[in-house]
């Protein structure tokens, strides 16, 4: 019979073994490949000493291929609760040192337990992926485990923030859990995400491609749009996670925690940002920083579809979601990718009670066969749907061009924006003056003795009529034409007025957005 002390010593020994992961050799290999261990990652994200581990002693249930004799520390995943910025979160990290972090059924159940906690206790979920995928020896039990995770990802969607951090391989069906979550973080040279790896592609299609080009961090941040935050190092990635969690509400029943209001940095002179020449671009992020508290702006999907800019900042201490056309890239035109990026961000903000502030300067939707065939109608409609559906406060500032469908789509009065402001530089029209004059005065221009002079005259006539905000203002489509220097005050005031906004929605199970 053991004494109580012996039982306590035994517990410590068992803990030591379970916490040793895959052992010294595997840990050394993990380090050599430039990666932190699962426990180091959790410790780096959570407030010091706040981690409360769950299911340390979980064991796998595989009974084939000699697995019955194998002990897998923690079954290849470390899971539990902790705090970030003093607020509770649920977290798990796959441990690549234990059988490549592969996912067996009990491994999945351990993840599901923290997911259930996160949903029931209303706190964010952070999942760190570093895994060879479904544990091959477990067969369909591993697939069942993935299915249970996907089910919970979907159940948690719009209820609690879900963050996926890709810090190693994330291959095969494993990619679909991150894809179902709200924000995916990737790290240069560390993250690898793909459905089928380079070997399969080579054998099936005969094409050679490196893991990095196929599904590395840069690829997902820039080309596929699967990643929302890109970092050079794991530490930079952890800082991004903490900044994001400091800005967003931790569940859909609360508003984001307010911070002390801070004025923007004085280096941003809002009235000097837009050039006099309407054909010249400028960086719309300077306008966001010119009005946000302390000029803070956490950009989401910075490298993907950069013709639109989305991200979080604060106004008078309150978190807001900024959406802005980016004249620096393709004149800020809307296309398939920027529509997807924008619509998803709007829906995130709407689900989590974050007011939307939209800056408009775009020539419209991108024309062309490629875009039409890529489904710009279906994708473009997502923005209309997302803005129309959003019941959070919606504030719009038209800076310069607001042409055609782009004018309507970018949170116009017609999609029930609460407050629409326009700068005196705004041009609200069906299209640009040159294009418009060429179409409606084609005959006059063609028959004129001096077509170029007539064209210039007609362009000037059209532009004089519509290239301003006053026609729209005369119909009440613009609530106020404001001086650029008044923008922060106008937006902050509108946000204050909208604190108790409430919109009744029609009774239905759910709508059918065009996705
Ligand atoms: C069981 C696995 C495993 C897996 C890796 N290991 N992946 N064990 N099931 N899926 C084990 C290895 O056997 C090895 O064990 C240890 O983990 C480390 O793996 P290495 O290959 O030595 O590491 P590395 O060279 O870094 O290569 C990593 C890797 C590679 C690229 C991830 O291991 C790999 O290609 N694994 C298989 C990937 C895969 O095809 N997974 C199934 C996808 S299908 P020892 O004992 O030698 O240390 C899928 C379907 C899900 O996931 C569908 C859900 C809907």
């Amino acid at each position: 019979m053991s004494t109580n002390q012996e039982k306590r010593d035994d517990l410590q020994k068992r803990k030591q073994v379970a916490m040793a992961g895959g052992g010294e050799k595997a840990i050394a290999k993990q380090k050599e490949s430039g990666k932190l261990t699962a426990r180091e990652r959790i410790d780096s994200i959570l407030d010091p000493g706040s981690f409360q581990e769950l299911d340390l002693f979980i064991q796998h249930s595989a009974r084939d291929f000699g697995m019955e004799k194998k002990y897998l520390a923690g079954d290849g995943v470390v899971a539990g609760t902790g705090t970030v910025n003093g607020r509770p979160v649920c977290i798990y990290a796959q441990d690549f040192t234990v059988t490549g972090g592969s996912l067996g059924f009990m491994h999945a159940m351990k993840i599901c337990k923290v997911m259930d906690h996160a949903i029931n206790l209303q706190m964010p979920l952070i999942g760190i992926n570093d895994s060879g995928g479904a544990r091959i020896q477990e067969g369909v039990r591993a697939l069942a485990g993935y299915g249970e995770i996907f089910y919970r990802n979907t159940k948690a969607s719009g209820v609690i923030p879900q963050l996926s951090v890709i810090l190693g391989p994330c291959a095969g069906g494993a990619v679909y859990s991150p894809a179902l979550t709200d924000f995916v973080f990737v790290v240069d040279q560390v993250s690898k995400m793909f459905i089928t790896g380079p070997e399969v592609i080579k054998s099936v299609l005969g094409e050679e491609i490196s893991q990095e080009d196929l599904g590395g961090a840069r690829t997902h941040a820039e080309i596929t749009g699967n990643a929302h935050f890109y970092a050079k190092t794991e530490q930079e990635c952890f800082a991004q996670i903490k900044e994001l969690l400091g800005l967003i509400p931790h569940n859909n029943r609360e508003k984001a925690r307010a911070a002390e209001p801070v004025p923007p940095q004085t280096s941003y002179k809002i009235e000097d940002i837009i050039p006099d020449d309407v054909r010249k671009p400028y960086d719309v992020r300077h306008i966001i920083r010119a009005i946000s508290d302390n000029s803070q702006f956490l950009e989401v999907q910075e490298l993907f579809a950069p013709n639109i800019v989305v991200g979080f900042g604060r106004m008078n201490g309150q978190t807001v979601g900024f959406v802005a056309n980016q004249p620096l890239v393709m004149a800020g035109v809307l296309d398939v990718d920027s529509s997807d990026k924008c619509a998803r961000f709007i829906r995130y903000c709407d689900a989590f009670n974050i007011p939307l502030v939209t800056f408009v300067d775009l020539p419209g939707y991108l024309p062309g066969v490629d875009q039409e065939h890529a489904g710009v109608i279906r994708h473009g409609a997502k923005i209309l749907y997302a803005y129309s559906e959003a019941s959070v406060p919606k504030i719009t500032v038209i800076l310069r061009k607001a042409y055609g469908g782009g004018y309507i789509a970018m949170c116009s009065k017609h999609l029930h924006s609460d407050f629409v402001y326009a700068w005196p530089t705004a041009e609200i029209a069906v299209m640009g003056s040159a294009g418009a004059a060429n179409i409606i005065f084609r005959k006059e221009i063609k028959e004129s003795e001096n077509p170029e002079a007539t064209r210039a005259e007609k362009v000037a006539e059209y532009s004089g009529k519509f290239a301003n905000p006053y026609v729209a203002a005369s119909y009440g489509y613009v609530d106020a034409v404001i001086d650029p220097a008044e923008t922060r005050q106008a937006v902050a005031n509108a946000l204050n007025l909208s604190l108790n906004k409430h919109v009744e929605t029609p009774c239905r199970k759910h709508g059918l957005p065009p996705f």
Side-chain angles (χ1 to χ4, degrees):
M1 179 82 94
S2 319
T3 63
N4 283 353
Q5 188 56 50
E6 282 165 344
K7 285 180 184 168
R8 291 173 67 198
D9 293 343
D10 177 55
L11 167 65
Q12 292 313 321
K13 266 192 226 141
R14 284 170 187 264
K15 274 184 156 181
Q16 250 176 13
V17 173
M19 288 170 77
E24 278 172 23
K25 221 167 126 194
I27 291 174
K29 194 177 160 199
Q30 174 88 348
K31 298 268 175 175
E32 271 162 34
S33 60
K35 300 196 291 184
L36 296 176
T37 65
R39 284 175 191 282
E40 286 168 343
R41 286 165 171 169
I42 288 178
D43 288 344
S44 306
I45 294 173
L46 298 182
D47 297 335
S50 69
F51 184 49
Q52 299 283 319
E53 189 161 356
L54 296 171
D55 288 339
L56 175 64
F57 298 123
I58 280 276
Q59 262 314 293
H60 68 88
S61 53
R63 295 293 171 264
D64 299 308
F65 306 107
M67 286 295 284
E68 60 280 9
K69 296 186 207 101
K70 271 199 177 168
Y71 170 77
L72 301 183
D75 202 16
V77 60
V78 182
T81 61
T83 60
V84 175
N85 308 321
R87 307 184 68 197
V89 298
C90 283
I91 190 162
Y92 70 85
Q94 293 180 311
D95 185 348
F96 194 83
T97 68
V98 180
T99 324
S102 57
L103 183 138
F105 188 73
M106 295 309 290
H107 173 124
M109 288 302 100
K110 199 164 157 176
I111 292 174
C112 287
K113 188 187 274 187
V114 285
M115 294 180 85
D116 288 339
H117 275 320
I119 296 168
N120 296 334
L121 308 179
Q122 302 272 292
M123 60 177 97
L125 173 77
I126 305 168
I128 302 175
N129 295 256
D130 186 2
S131 164
R135 189 173 296 149
I136 295 161
Q137 299 89 330
E138 292 204 24
V140 71
R141 291 275 284 168
L143 302 184
Y146 273 121
E148 293 291 340
I149 293 172
F150 302 160
Y151 177 83
R152 283 168 179 77
N153 283 136
T154 309
K155 190 174 166 193
S157 180
V159 181
I160 51 159
Q162 299 184 79
L163 281 56
S164 296
V165 195
I166 314 300
L167 295 179
C170 181
V175 297
Y176 284 113
S177 174
L180 287 166
T181 63
D182 306 323
F183 299 105
V184 175
F185 294 76
V186 291
V187 174
D188 192 45
Q189 304 300 320
V190 174
S191 314
K192 307 273 183 287
M193 254 181 126
F194 33 73
I195 302 266
T196 45
E199 311 76 36
V200 178
I201 291 181
K202 191 169 175 209
S203 68
V204 176
L205 302 170
E207 289 171 16
E208 292 235 22
I209 186 160
S210 69
Q211 278 197 11
E212 194 57 33
D213 288 343
L214 179 65
R218 194 90 198 173
T219 301
H220 287 302
E222 223 175 273
I223 300 172
T224 67
N226 288 330
H228 300 81
F229 292 97
Y230 167 85
K232 285 272 176 217
T233 63
E234 293 199 24
Q235 292 304 339
E236 190 193 341
C237 167
F238 303 147
Q240 291 169 339
I241 292 171
K242 288 180 217 186
E243 187 178 358
L244 177 69
L245 287 174
L247 278 164
I248 56 177
H250 282 204
N251 61 61
N252 67 346
R253 295 200 213 184
E254 62 176 41
K255 290 190 174 173
R257 266 198 191 169
E260 272 301 303
V262 189
Q265 290 162 18
T266 49
S267 49
Y268 294 97
K269 290 263 174 295
I270 197 163
E271 56 277 25
D272 296 338
I273 295 173
I274 292 197
D276 286 330
D277 183 346
V278 291
R279 286 164 306 181
K280 282 208 175 136
Y282 59 92
D283 190 340
V284 78
R285 289 174 294 195
H286 293 161
I287 289 181
I288 295 172
R289 290 188 189 278
I291 71 157
S292 67
D293 284 12
N294 199 25
S295 302
Q296 182 192 12
F297 179 51
L298 180 63
E299 192 168 348
V300 177
Q301 289 188 304
E302 183 182 347
L303 301 171
F304 176 67
N307 38 331
I308 202 151
V309 169
V310 299
F312 301 105
R314 284 202 175 89
M315 296 281 302
N316 275 352
Q318 199 192 142
T319 296
V320 297
F322 289 108
V323 178
N325 309 116
Q326 173 59 289
L328 266 190
V329 183
M330 300 196 292
V333 78
L334 285 176
D335 58 4
V336 166
D337 284 346
S338 60
S339 297
D340 281 2
K341 170 176 166 181
C342 177
R344 186 173 164 82
F345 182 75
I346 294 164
R347 294 197 100 209
Y348 184 85
C349 291
D350 190 43
F352 287 97
N353 316 312
I354 300 173
L356 286 159
V357 176
T358 303
F359 291 106
V360 186
D361 185 352
L362 82 164
Y365 281 96
L366 182 62
V369 178
D370 285 353
Q371 282 293 306
E372 295 290 351
H373 288 188
V376 71
I377 297 173
R378 179 165 51 89
H379 292 280
K382 293 177 191 175
I383 301 188
L384 304 173
Y385 194 104
Y387 268 132
S388 300
E389 179 191 47
S391 59
V392 288
K394 297 184 279 195
I395 294 140
T396 309
V397 185
I398 303 175
L399 307 173
R400 203 166 61 170
K401 291 175 218 147
Y403 295 162
Y407 156 68
I408 306 170
M410 293 307 295
C411 207
S412 63
K413 201 72 180 168
H414 323 296
L415 304 188
H416 292 214
S417 173
D418 297 293
F419 295 95
V420 177
Y421 300 106
W423 286 8
T425 43
E427 298 182 5
I428 304 169
V430 171
M431 57 170 66
S433 304
N438 279 339
I439 295 171
I440 59 178
F441 301 114
R442 189 173 47 188
K443 216 163 145 213
E444 286 97 318
I445 294 170
K446 201 172 155 202
E447 288 167 3
S448 158
E449 285 181 7
N450 186 344
E452 278 322 303
T454 309
R455 188 193 317 276
E457 196 182 293
K458 294 297 178 190
V459 169
E461 187 183 330
Y462 191 87
S463 148
K465 173 85 183 143
F466 287 118
N468 63 63
Y470 302 107
V471 178
S474 76
Y475 293 112
Y477 302 153
V478 166
D479 295 305
V481 182
I482 58 168
D483 188 274
E486 297 166 348
T487 309
R488 176 169 157 90
Q489 206 191 349
V491 173
N493 189 38
L495 285 166
N496 275 341
L497 290 170
S498 316
L499 283 177
N500 296 321
K501 179 177 176 185
H502 176 74
V503 175
E504 289 295 331
T505 45
C507 178
R508 63 181 168 194
K509 189 170 176 192
H510 54 67
L512 292 164
F515 68 82

